[in-house]
Amino acid sequence: MKDAQWYSQLYKDQFKEIWKKLERDQPQAVWLNFADFVRIELALYAVETKFPGISARDFGYLLQGIPVKSLEPKKKLINRLRGYLRNIRSQGVWQDLLERYVNDPALYRVRGYDLDQQDRPIHRGVSCAPDRFHAYANYLKHPAPLKERAEYKAAPAGDYFILDSNNKPRSVRINEKISRMWIALNT
């Protein structure tokens, strides 16, 4: 499982103070959260540096996983981006987030990109978090980190409720024999 918090260090190192101020000053209804902000900027950085012929508005198509023969040499990079941007897997979601990023006046002072007439990203000289672009370059070189899972402990015999893959509650009964086998296997 990919770690959804890959951007947390970037937040702590470069954005924490300015982002808290922005959150205080802006209505939440129009607000773009930090996770989406960073995902958009990483994507725009990729378009600017690795996919210069692609319009920023069309970038969402790359994230859908549809093989494109001309982009075959960049398949590894596209898969890496899909790992970081897994919450943006449709062109519609991408368009919505990009519009909010570009048009939110509150983000103007922290936004690292504008779009030109052909919808290509233009790097802006911003004083807020200037090292973020080095972090974005590093993200593109390395896959998204895997989330560490907690060790599972064997459950004692008894009746339990769990949530299935459809988020519906199900009852499960673990009998003594299964419980002892599980404990024996994990010790």
Side-chain angles (χ1 to χ4, degrees):
M1 175 181 210
K2 299 289 184 186
D3 184 3
Q5 301 296 312
W6 56 266
Y7 47 80
S8 60
Q9 194 62 45
L10 182 64
Y11 176 79
K12 289 176 195 168
D13 292 347
Q14 299 188 46
F15 281 99
K16 190 174 184 177
E17 296 305 317
I18 188 73
W19 206 263
K20 282 183 178 183
K21 183 175 178 357
L22 286 172
E23 284 178 332
R24 275 193 314 268
D25 296 346
Q26 299 307 310
Q28 293 299 311
V30 297
W31 187 246
L32 189 65
N33 68 41
F34 183 75
D36 288 335
F37 175 85
V38 173
R39 287 180 184 117
I40 292 165
E41 287 216 329
L42 178 63
L44 292 174
Y45 180 82
V47 171
E48 176 192 38
T49 60
K50 307 295 182 185
F51 302 98
I54 294 176
S55 154
R57 295 204 187 275
D58 293 335
F59 182 76
Y61 293 118
L62 283 180
L63 301 176
Q64 292 177 350
I66 301 167
V68 178
K69 195 161 187 77
S70 64
L71 294 174
E72 190 65 34
K74 295 187 179 190
K75 184 177 179 179
K76 187 176 180 179
L77 175 61
I78 292 169
N79 286 339
R80 187 167 292 152
L81 281 164
R82 291 184 80 220
Y84 283 114
L85 308 175
R86 71 180 187 284
N87 296 25
I88 307 171
R89 288 288 174 91
S90 75
Q91 181 64 9
V93 171
W94 169 250
Q95 290 279 346
D96 178 56
L97 291 173
L98 185 62
E99 285 301 316
R100 288 166 55 195
Y101 173 85
V102 170
N103 294 320
D104 187 341
L107 295 177
Y108 185 77
R109 55 187 161 162
V110 295
R111 207 172 65 218
Y113 289 98
D114 281 327
L115 298 180
D116 69 10
Q117 298 266 336
Q118 289 79 36
D119 292 326
R120 288 187 299 251
I122 301 169
H123 188 85
R124 297 178 66 227
V126 290
S127 59
C128 166
D131 292 336
R132 70 179 109 167
F133 302 103
H134 298 293
Y136 298 153
N138 193 41
Y139 292 141
L140 293 183
K141 291 177 188 171
H142 305 287
L146 295 176
K147 185 176 184 178
E148 290 187 26
R149 291 186 175 185
E151 288 290 321
Y152 290 105
K153 295 180 182 174
D159 293 330
Y160 297 92
F161 285 100
I162 62 167
L163 294 178
D164 69 9
S165 60
N166 295 321
N167 215 23
K168 292 185 178 180
R170 304 281 182 205
S171 63
V172 176
R173 176 170 286 156
I174 299 176
N175 63 32
E176 280 294 329
K177 186 177 178 182
I178 292 175
S179 179
R180 283 193 307 270
M181 269 185 3
W182 183 254
I183 291 170
L185 285 171
N186 290 297
T187 54

